[in-house]
Amino acid sequence: MAKEILAKIKLQCPAGQATPAPPVGPALGQHGVNIGQFVKQFNDKTKDLQGILTPAEITVFKDKTFTFIIKSPPASVLLKQSAGIVKGSPEPNRQKVGQVNKQQIREIAARKLADLNVSNLESAMRIIEGTAHTMGLKIVD
């Protein structure tokens, strides 16, 4: 028989650097999850991404055990990394803060494809291009 699910929690933590401090501790503590065990497992699974903001979807069961899935980093984080910028534009329609090329868009879309609600790479690229535009990034060929 399958375990009964108590809660599903979504968190974003720096890969390989999660700590029991907020937001991890309070989010998991209220459901009785062993926070130290989660932090250790999360850091072990994400050590190759080191420092990149990484989402995790945690399923907590009635017996206080848990499982979690690591998602791909947010598109905005990957775009900032590719463009070499710290943050997006405050006025994306007027002020461009950087640029990315189609190849970088393709690589990000391929990396995010499993987490996006599309079935092909071209549609994923359009989603990533839209995110780039709203961040104030110019797309070049």
Side-chain angles (χ1 to χ4, degrees), residues 91-110:
E91 296 180 36
N93 55 340
R94 294 190 192 125
Q95 181 183 355
K96 300 298 179 189
V97 292
Q99 65 182 27
V100 289
N101 61 38
K102 290 280 189 182
Q103 182 58 34
Q104 290 170 315
I105 296 283
R106 181 176 296 279
E107 290 167 4
I108 293 170

Side-chain angles (χ1 to χ4, degrees), residues 44-118:
D44 288 344
K45 275 190 176 182
T46 60
K47 65 180 170 249
D48 56 327
L49 297 172
Q50 205 60 32
I52 298 174
L53 195 63
T54 307
E57 191 172 289
I58 307 153
T59 304
V60 181
F61 300 103
K62 282 271 192 201
D63 62 356
K64 307 298 183 204
T65 60
F66 65 91
T67 60
F68 66 97
I69 301 166
I70 303 294
K71 303 281 188 170
S72 60
S76 60
V77 171
L78 297 174
L79 285 165
K80 286 191 290 188
Q81 199 174 39
S82 293
I85 61 173
V86 177
K87 65 179 194 171
S89 173
E91 296 180 36
N93 55 340
R94 294 190 192 125
Q95 181 183 355
K96 300 298 179 189
V97 292
Q99 65 182 27
V100 289
N101 61 38
K102 290 280 189 182
Q103 182 58 34
Q104 290 170 315
I105 296 283
R106 181 176 296 279
E107 290 167 4
I108 293 170
R111 189 170 176 183
K112 295 278 306 165
L113 188 60
D115 293 334
L116 294 174
N117 196 17
V118 294

